[in-house]
């Protein structure tokens, strides 16, 4: 029995240091969230999960309203901090750390989480969703790094280069047979 997980990477959200959990979507991001909901108007959705971060929830909010479903938050699906949240670093340093983290699953900057640590906290949730909602369509409001790390757990070809080419927002339909990933299809225009 096939189960589809739609990974919905959050739409545009202006960065604000210290507001990782609470920063919301930009005007452009809210407009994109409406376009996302339009894509899902023709797709049956049985369950909506999300990171607890505001921008991820706001991106799938219109889907939830149209489908009359709650958004179930999971702390385990929050974005991966590649560095401690109280550490300011240049984008170049963070970018290189992200690259290294996909080559060395135990690598992270001080205070951050490695790829392996993120998989250890997130994959049990994915496996639980696959078991409890077998044969259904699941939407997950997510982030670029953790989305890639989850997909990487099932297929190593989803790594740094994949993450680098994703957009905000983005949608990937991941089709599972049991808990085996069979196919990934990008459905964001």
């Amino acid at each position: 029995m096939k189960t589809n997980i739609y990974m919905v990477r959050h739409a545009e959200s202006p960065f604000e240091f210290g507001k990782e959990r609470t920063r919301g979507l930009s005007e452009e991001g809210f407009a994109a969230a409406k376009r996302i909901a339009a894509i899902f108007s023709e797709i049956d959705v049985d369950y909506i999960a999300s990171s607890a971060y505001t921008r991820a929830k706001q991106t799938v909010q219109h889907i939830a309203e149209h489908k009359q479903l709650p958004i179930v938050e999971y702390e385990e699906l929050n974005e991966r901090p590649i560095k401690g949240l109280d550490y300011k670093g240049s984008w170049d340093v963070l970018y290189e750390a992200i690259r290294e983290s996909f080559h060395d699953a135990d690598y992270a900057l001080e205070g951050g989480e490695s790829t392996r640590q993120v998989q250890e906290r997130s994959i049990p949730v994915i496996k639980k969703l696959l078991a409890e909602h077998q044969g259904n369509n699941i939407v997950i409001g997510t982030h670029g790094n953790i989305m890639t790390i989850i997909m990487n757990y099932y297929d190593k070809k989803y790594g740094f280069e994949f993450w680098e080419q994703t957009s905000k927002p983005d949608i990937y339909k991941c089709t599972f047979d049991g808990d085996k990933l069979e196919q990934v299809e990008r459905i964001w225009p």
Side-chain angles (χ1 to χ4, degrees):
M1 189 176 301
K2 310 289 187 196
T3 306
N4 295 309
I5 293 181
Y6 292 87
M7 297 283 203
V8 180
R9 184 181 186 193
H10 70 80
E12 189 59 44
S13 172
F15 178 76
E16 295 180 61
F17 182 76
K19 297 195 176 181
E20 188 64 14
R21 177 176 283 277
T22 59
R23 67 183 166 100
L25 298 180
S26 65
E27 225 174 279
E28 176 186 326
F30 279 113
K34 288 181 180 176
R35 292 194 309 273
I36 289 168
I39 289 170
F40 281 94
S41 67
E42 300 299 318
I43 299 170
D44 289 332
V45 175
D46 304 288
Y47 188 83
I48 302 175
S50 180
S51 152
Y53 287 7
T54 300
R55 60 192 181 277
K57 292 183 296 186
Q58 287 177 335
T59 302
V60 296
Q61 184 65 46
H62 291 295
I63 300 168
E65 289 169 3
H66 288 121
K67 302 296 184 181
Q68 298 180 349
L69 292 169
I71 298 172
V72 181
E73 295 178 26
Y74 291 88
E75 291 289 329
E76 299 89 346
L77 299 179
N78 288 350
E79 180 62 301
R80 178 257 297 261
I82 189 69
K83 56 160 179 59
L85 294 179
D86 57 350
Y87 167 80
K88 284 189 178 183
S90 73
W91 174 245
D92 291 344
V93 169
L94 297 176
Y95 182 83
E96 286 308 315
I98 293 167
R99 179 194 310 268
E100 181 63 25
S101 75
F102 282 105
H103 297 291
D104 176 356
D106 294 309
Y107 178 82
L109 295 174
E110 186 176 340
E113 280 185 298
S114 69
T115 294
R116 188 176 322 280
Q117 289 171 316
V118 174
Q119 287 175 340
E120 287 171 354
R121 74 168 157 90
S122 63
I123 296 303
V125 172
I126 301 301
K127 288 182 176 184
K128 176 182 181 275
L129 295 176
L130 288 169
E132 291 178 358
H133 301 281
Q134 192 172 29
N136 290 327
N137 292 325
I138 302 163
V139 168
I140 298 179
T142 190
H143 309 268
N145 231 260
I146 191 168
M147 175 183 77
T148 304
I149 289 169
I150 290 168
M151 293 166 72
N152 175 267
Y153 174 83
Y154 291 99
D155 188 337
K156 297 297 181 210
K157 77 179 179 184
Y158 298 102
F160 178 77
E161 291 76 19
F162 171 80
W163 167 80
E164 192 175 35
Q165 60 83 38
T166 62
S167 62
K168 292 181 192 173
D170 218 335
I171 306 170
Y172 291 88
K173 176 184 178 184
C174 302
T175 302
F176 289 82
D177 185 357
D179 67 352
K180 181 179 182 283
L181 179 63
E182 285 196 330
Q183 179 180 351
V184 174
E185 176 187 1
R186 186 178 192 208
I187 62 169
W188 178 247

